[in-house]
Amino acid sequence: RDILVVDAPEERRSGMLIVQAVLSDAQGLWGNKGSQLKARRPQWLRACLAANWQHASQHGHAMVLRHQPTRPMLTPWERDICVKDSGGKPLDENDCERRWERENFNWEKHLQLSEYLRNE
């Protein structure tokens, strides 16, 4: 589910890896929700990605992007809180994901790094 954006030639490899999670949020600040792979990213984010791409290319680093969050995104305790806060109504998965999106996207970066460190 990750995309290798920069892979330095063997003779220039620094041994460093830049990992970046670029996930489309519900409000569209990080790009439209459409197709995650073809999401239109805002100019500010494209500038950041271009700067990181340039740095990785220039210094022999590899660079990997994650464009989709790990599923299932919600933990059991997050679901329980959503049901409790709705007064016991059935769980609305989309509303609950939107509620926890920021926290879960932040943890996604840690998960991504952990997966690479464990060679998964």
Side-chain angles (χ1 to χ4, degrees), residues 5-6 18-23 29-30 41-57 63-65:
V5 179
V6 177
I18 299 171
V19 295
Q20 220 171 343
V22 185
L23 309 170
L29 298 175
W30 286 71
R41 304 298 182 180
Q43 187 59 41
W44 65 265
L45 177 56
R46 293 169 60 202
C48 289
L49 292 171
N52 288 346
W53 178 87
Q54 175 64 33
H55 179 84
S57 298
M63 181 175 168
V64 174
L65 297 180

Side-chain angles (χ1 to χ4, degrees), residues 2-51:
D2 293 346
I3 300 169
L4 178 64
V5 179
V6 177
D7 189 14
E10 185 76 33
E11 66 277 359
R12 292 193 57 234
R13 286 199 179 133
S14 68
M16 296 187 77
L17 172 66
I18 299 171
V19 295
Q20 220 171 343
V22 185
L23 309 170
S24 294
D25 61 312
Q27 289 130 2
L29 298 175
W30 286 71
N32 62 18
K33 274 294 230 199
S35 164
Q36 288 277 348
L37 190 54
K38 297 186 187 249
R40 179 77 178 151
R41 304 298 182 180
Q43 187 59 41
W44 65 265
L45 177 56
R46 293 169 60 202
C48 289
L49 292 171

